Amino acid sequence: MITATGITKTFKNGDVITNVLKGIDLTIDSGEFVAIMGKSGAGKSTLLYQLGLLDDPTSGTIVIDGTRTTDLSVDDRTAFRLNELGYIFQDYALLPELTALENVMVPLLMQGKTTQEAKDIAHTSLVRINLGHRENNLPSQMSGGEQQRVSIARAVAHNPKILFADEPTANLDSESGQAVIEIFKDLHKQGQTIVMVTHEKEYTVFCDRVIHIADGLAV
Amino acid sequence: MSTFSNSVKVGLFLGVRQLRRTNRSTTILIISIMTFTFLNLVVVSGILVGLIVGGNIANRNQYTGDVIATTLSGKTTIDHSQNFISTVAHDPQVTKYTARYLVGSTIEANYKTRTNFSNKANSIGGQLTGIDPAQENSFSNISKYIVDGTFLQPGESGYIVLGSNLLDRYSSSFGDSFSSLKNVYPGDTVKVTVNGNTREFIVSGIVKSKVSEVSLRSFISNADFIQLSNRTNLDVNEIGIQHDTSITDLEMKDRLIADGFDATAKIQTADEAIPDFLIQIKTAFSLLGNLIGAIGIVVGSITIFIVVFINAVTRRKFIGILKGIGVSPLAIEISYLLQSLFYGFSGSLLGSIILYGLLVPAFNAHPLNFPFSDGILVADVPATLIRIAILLVVTLIAGFIPARMIIKKNTLDSILGR
């Protein structure tokens, strides 16, 4: 499903050059639940951004489901993210002026679903994670755990091939974090490919595989 | 469905919700600014032009009518004017007309109580106008402008109405530039001299108008005029004509010319009779108004730019997230354009309501008191629509640029706020 070869990422800040990723090769199969772990600053989130097409690697190639994504134009990458990928961010990243339902509807509408279709799918997604009763609430009216669950609903409502999660439990208490992981376990059971960055080892026990990043390399 | 139509749909979806759930006081503030920008654009030029247009309207209503015939250069009267008057009187499209006799005259007041003959007499030179009081009043509604005493009554003789600017107490604002009659009131007797003939008249009333052809003239009846001036051929000096709406001023003028009356009279439409300097002032005021309005547009567009820029900068993270989850830049731009359009449209709509619901009626009811005119607010609908279109286009550009600037930033940098 994902084949990354020789991924490097270098940041330049004036005269300071930082090599965050130094040539990572990895393969993730369809339906796998993979955790990326590493110390702070090891480059695990940077790797996730490259795999998730949110950033361009300095060198190397990434092939997702047969598409060499590093060769795609900006517009094609946007369309690819819309149709093939889903994202969950550490700070939920919900749009504050949209209700839970509307947040989930946005990518569906962008895919060309009618408003009613998008509403129905978003509603089903929210009900699936036990947030049906909160669908008309704004993010500011929900707890952190609830917001993260809405974020998950938004990420999976359009049935992406791969779900990327960047430390999805980092801002949550243990109970909410556990609830999020339970949702991931359910999604995984249904065959969803998941790539999750985390620094919490206890959550990796549910993963098929853990990729450790240290000093810009997969170890 | 195409990416473009999806982008439009999502842009509208996001834009509507951002507007609906944004801070209400901020929205009110922005719409207020746009309303004032609109009013600045329309009202300033409207008032400046209105000062001249108000004068032109008064000139048409009180003096020229729709078409006016005057004496040809080098002539003292309109020759064979009774033929002209007869033709006008029988024209079914002419609704009203008036014929005026004019002659230079001297008016002297307080001569009975004058004791020191070494001092200058209380007299003034000016145009004496002979009129049919009923016909003239029907034509120009002149009696409405009597500020003291009464207007001439049909059939009566020996009475005179004086223009207010002939009198000292009404023309003091002109300073010492013009001589004027002092201490003359209705009921007083004045001595009028024309071509060496002198006759006494009782002052019937004082007429005050901002049309100089009214306020600088004195009026007596036709019969008194003919007797005093010995004008036995009954040739008049001015014929004012009003017509119905089935014909234009120009068509009426052309018809009179076709009848050959231009051989004996100078025939002009009301607009043509406006002095050149007033047309030039109108053009200059219009330019000035547009210039001030343009400055207002720049200020308004900068306001929109700043508002949208701050909005986009503070929402940069969310713009990054939208791009991250696959929402096209076009959709995000449309959401910001919608907001700008809303502010511009709301400001224009509110401004139009204030303009046509409040300001225009208020100016019509209480015109600006200007020395040479009663200034109204000119805001014709086509010109206002053009200004609304200009405002909307400028607003859209002002909203688009900052949104575009933020949207073009790297997606991940936006999300991470770096």
Side-chain angles (χ1 to χ4, degrees):
Chain A
M1 168 127 298
I2 304 176
T3 305
T5 311
I7 301 296
T8 69
K9 183 68 185 178
T10 302
F11 292 102
K12 260 183 92 172
N13 188 358
D15 293 337
V16 180
I17 296 173
T18 310
N19 296 311
V20 180
L21 301 179
K22 297 175 181 170
I24 289 182
D25 300 319
L26 61 82
T27 303
I28 296 170
D29 291 329
S30 180
E32 253 194 310
F33 186 177
V34 174
I36 300 174
M37 289 198 72
K39 287 180 183 169
S40 183
K44 53 189 186 298
S45 289
T46 303
L47 176 61
L48 188 86
Y49 300 146
Q50 314 309 309
L51 298 176
L53 276 62
L54 289 173
D55 200 7
D56 297 318
T58 306
S59 65
T61 57
I62 297 168
V63 179
I64 298 178
D65 209 20
T67 303
R68 195 178 160 107
T69 60
T70 35
D71 292 345
L72 293 176
S73 67
V74 173
D75 287 345
D76 288 341
R77 286 158 68 87
T78 302
F80 194 89
R81 286 198 300 268
L82 173 70
N83 295 311
E84 312 294 346
L85 311 178
Y87 299 91
I88 298 159
F89 298 94
Q90 183 177 334
D91 57 357
Y92 332 128
L94 297 177
L95 299 164
E97 66 276 4
L98 302 187
T99 64
L101 188 79
E102 290 164 347
N103 263 287
V104 181
M105 284 172 69
V106 171
L108 298 167
L109 290 171
M110 195 67 223
Q111 281 186 322
K113 303 270 192 300
T114 65
T115 305
Q116 191 55 51
E117 286 169 349
K119 202 177 271 186
D120 292 342
I121 296 168
H123 172 73
T124 305
S125 298
L126 288 168
V127 168
R128 207 164 71 179
I129 54 169
N130 297 322
L131 276 179
H133 64 295
R134 290 292 217 173
E135 66 180 23
N136 292 321
N137 285 59
L138 293 171
S140 58
Q141 298 165 330
M142 290 186 281
S143 70
E146 287 173 328
Q147 288 186 59
Q148 192 58 295
R149 280 151 64 196
V150 173
S151 171
I152 295 169
R154 181 179 67 186
V156 300
H158 60 292
N159 295 319
K161 286 182 178 158
I162 308 163
L163 180 61
F164 292 98
D166 185 13
E167 306 218 32
T169 57
N171 286 355
L172 302 178
D173 58 44
S174 59
E175 191 180 339
S176 299
Q178 192 59 46
V180 166
I181 293 299
E182 289 300 324
I183 295 169
F184 280 16
K185 281 165 64 181
D186 280 349
L187 290 168
H188 180 225
K189 270 185 202 161
Q190 292 160 30
Q192 177 71 59
T193 306
I194 302 172
V195 182
M196 176 178 73
V197 167
T198 184
H199 60 270
E200 290 159 300
K201 203 169 182 181
E202 65 269 29
Y203 294 142
T204 63
V205 296
F206 310 106
C207 299
D208 299 320
R209 185 155 59 99
V210 178
I211 297 172
H212 289 277
I213 304 291
D215 197 24
L217 293 167
V219 293
Chain B
M1 208 183 284
S2 71
T3 305
F4 177 78
S5 57
N6 291 341
S7 295
V8 172
K9 188 169 64 176
V10 172
L12 296 177
F13 182 84
L14 294 171
V16 166
R17 280 150 186 83
Q18 281 173 20
L19 281 170
R20 202 190 291 163
R21 290 170 188 146
T22 195
N23 185 301
R24 203 156 284 183
S25 52
T26 307
T27 305
I28 291 169
L29 178 69
I30 298 168
I31 291 174
S32 302
I33 290 169
M34 294 313 296
T35 302
F36 285 120
T37 303
F38 170 82
L39 290 175
N40 183 48
L41 188 63
V42 177
V43 174
V44 173
S45 60
I47 289 175
L48 287 174
V49 171
L51 291 175
I52 305 302
V53 172
N56 294 345
I57 291 171
N59 216 45
R60 179 186 284 263
N61 291 340
Q62 297 171 42
Y63 171 56
T64 63
D66 301 320
V67 175
I68 187 165
T70 51
T71 309
L72 285 173
S73 177
K75 292 278 187 177
T76 53
T77 59
I78 298 172
D79 291 345
H80 315 298
S81 14
Q82 292 309 316
N83 288 343
F84 196 139
I85 293 168
S86 175
T87 301
V88 167
H90 290 96
D91 189 321
Q93 287 173 300
V94 171
T95 52
K96 289 171 189 169
Y97 71 95
T98 189
R100 303 183 187 116
Y101 294 92
L102 294 176
V103 72
S105 68
T106 305
I107 302 171
E108 186 180 350
N110 310 121
Y111 48 91
K112 289 178 182 170
T113 55
R114 189 179 176 197
T115 52
N116 186 349
F117 284 85
S118 62
N119 288 344
K120 195 181 162 197
N122 186 15
S123 66
I124 187 170
Q127 278 199 311
L128 182 68
T129 311
I131 53 169
D132 175 332
Q135 193 179 49
E136 179 65 38
N137 195 40
S138 167
F139 181 84
S140 63
N141 210 8
I142 190 171
S143 64
K144 185 179 148 191
Y145 304 98
I146 296 288
V147 289
D148 198 2
T150 57
F151 186 58
L152 301 172
Q153 299 303 309
E156 70 181 7
S157 176
Y159 288 92
I160 189 168
V161 166
L162 299 175
S164 61
N165 286 343
L166 300 175
L167 305 181
D168 178 57
R169 64 181 181 279
Y170 291 105
S171 59
S172 56
S173 60
F174 293 131
D176 295 332
S177 306
F178 304 98
S179 59
S180 51
L181 296 171
K182 296 171 183 64
N183 298 319
V184 177
Y185 295 90
D188 291 352
T189 302
V190 294
K191 206 160 62 178
V192 181
T193 302
V194 173
N195 299 331
N197 297 329
T198 301
R199 184 178 162 184
E200 287 186 331
F201 286 87
I202 297 168
V203 176
S204 173
I206 313 297
V207 62
K208 186 179 181 187
S209 165
K210 287 175 181 170
V211 176
S212 59
E213 282 78 4
V214 176
S215 62
L216 278 170
R217 288 180 177 182
S218 49
F219 298 86
I220 59 175
S221 70
N222 283 340
D224 285 343
F225 183 93
I226 290 163
Q227 187 190 40
L228 181 61
S229 66
N230 291 324
R231 192 180 293 181
T232 51
N233 62 7
L234 302 182
D235 281 345
V236 300
N237 298 79
E238 287 175 357
I239 303 168
I241 302 160
Q242 290 174 6
H243 58 73
D244 61 26
T245 52
S246 65
I247 191 170
T248 66
D249 297 353
L250 206 56
E251 286 168 344
M252 174 57 76
K253 174 192 164 183
D254 289 345
R255 184 190 295 175
L256 293 169
I257 289 173
D259 288 344
F261 290 117
D262 60 327
T264 55
K266 182 180 181 183
I267 303 169
Q268 293 174 294
T269 63
D271 290 340
E272 290 168 346
I274 298 167
D276 275 350
F277 80 94
L278 278 181
I279 294 171
Q280 285 167 12
I281 291 176
K282 184 182 173 186
T283 307
F285 275 17
S286 183
L287 278 173
L288 194 63
N290 286 337
L291 184 69
I292 295 169
I295 293 169
I297 279 197
V298 171
V299 172
S301 59
I302 289 172
T303 306
I304 288 286
F305 182 95
I306 292 169
V307 166
V308 173
F309 186 75
I310 291 173
N311 187 311
V313 165
T314 54
R315 290 178 45 78
R316 189 177 152 210
K317 176 185 172 70
F318 301 108
I319 289 172
I321 290 163
L322 282 168
K323 286 166 68 186
I325 63 175
V327 174
S328 69
L330 177 64
I332 304 167
E333 283 162 6
I334 288 171
S335 74
Y336 279 93
L337 286 179
L338 183 74
Q339 290 176 69
S340 299
L341 197 63
F342 172 78
Y343 294 136
F345 182 76
S346 300
S348 300
L349 182 67
L350 194 60
S352 298
I353 291 169
I354 293 171
L355 178 67
Y356 291 110
L358 189 69
L359 293 178
V360 170
F363 271 89
N364 285 338
H366 307 286
L368 279 182
N369 189 8
F370 223 58
F372 61 86
S373 72
D374 286 330
I376 56 168
L377 174 56
V378 175
D380 54 286
V381 174
T384 303
L385 288 176
I386 289 170
R387 285 172 164 82
I388 289 175
I390 291 170
L391 190 67
L392 290 181
V393 168
V394 171
T395 304
L396 281 175
I397 294 169
F400 175 76
I401 293 171
R404 179 86 173 171
M405 284 164 61
I406 303 300
I407 290 164
K408 280 184 80 173
K409 300 260 182 205
N410 177 280
T411 302
L412 188 62
D413 288 345
S414 295
I415 293 172
L416 300 178
R418 64 189 185 195

